[in-house]
Amino acid sequence: MRAFTKPEERALVKLNGFTGETKLDVSYDRPSIYERLADHGLVSITLSHRRKRARLTKTGRYFAQLVAAREGRS
């Protein structure tokens, strides 16, 4: 797996801030970034009322916590 780009890291940390079954509306927030993460199985994207909504998978939450911890040390 390749290293995350800065926009992908920001997206992971942003999604990690949402807990439980809450989904983030990504229709206007560069959905291509979330689609790339979904291709790797880190995010699940659903279409609801013509809006794309994303949430982390279990694997995605693991990587998001790693990125957030690394950013916290910097």
Side-chain angles (χ1 to χ4, degrees):
M1 186 170 190
R2 64 169 176 71
F4 295 119
T5 62
K6 288 294 181 187
E8 289 172 341
E9 287 181 358
R10 284 192 297 269
L12 283 172
V13 171
K14 188 176 190 178
L15 282 172
N16 194 37
F18 289 88
T19 57
E21 292 296 317
T22 306
K23 296 178 183 174
L24 175 66
D25 184 2
V26 297
S27 297
Y28 302 107
D29 191 25
R30 295 188 60 193
S32 61
I33 293 170
Y34 296 95
E35 289 171 3
R36 281 195 306 258
L37 292 172
D39 289 342
H40 294 292
L42 303 176
V43 174
S44 69
I45 297 178
T46 57
L47 189 61
S48 175
H49 302 288
R50 296 186 180 169
R51 298 204 188 275
K52 289 185 178 182
R53 300 186 186 274
R55 80 178 167 96
L56 288 173
T57 61
K58 199 174 266 192
T59 306
R61 189 160 307 281
Y62 171 76
F63 281 109
Q65 290 171 352
L66 288 178
V67 169
R70 187 185 74 212
E71 293 298 320
R73 282 187 267 149
S74 300

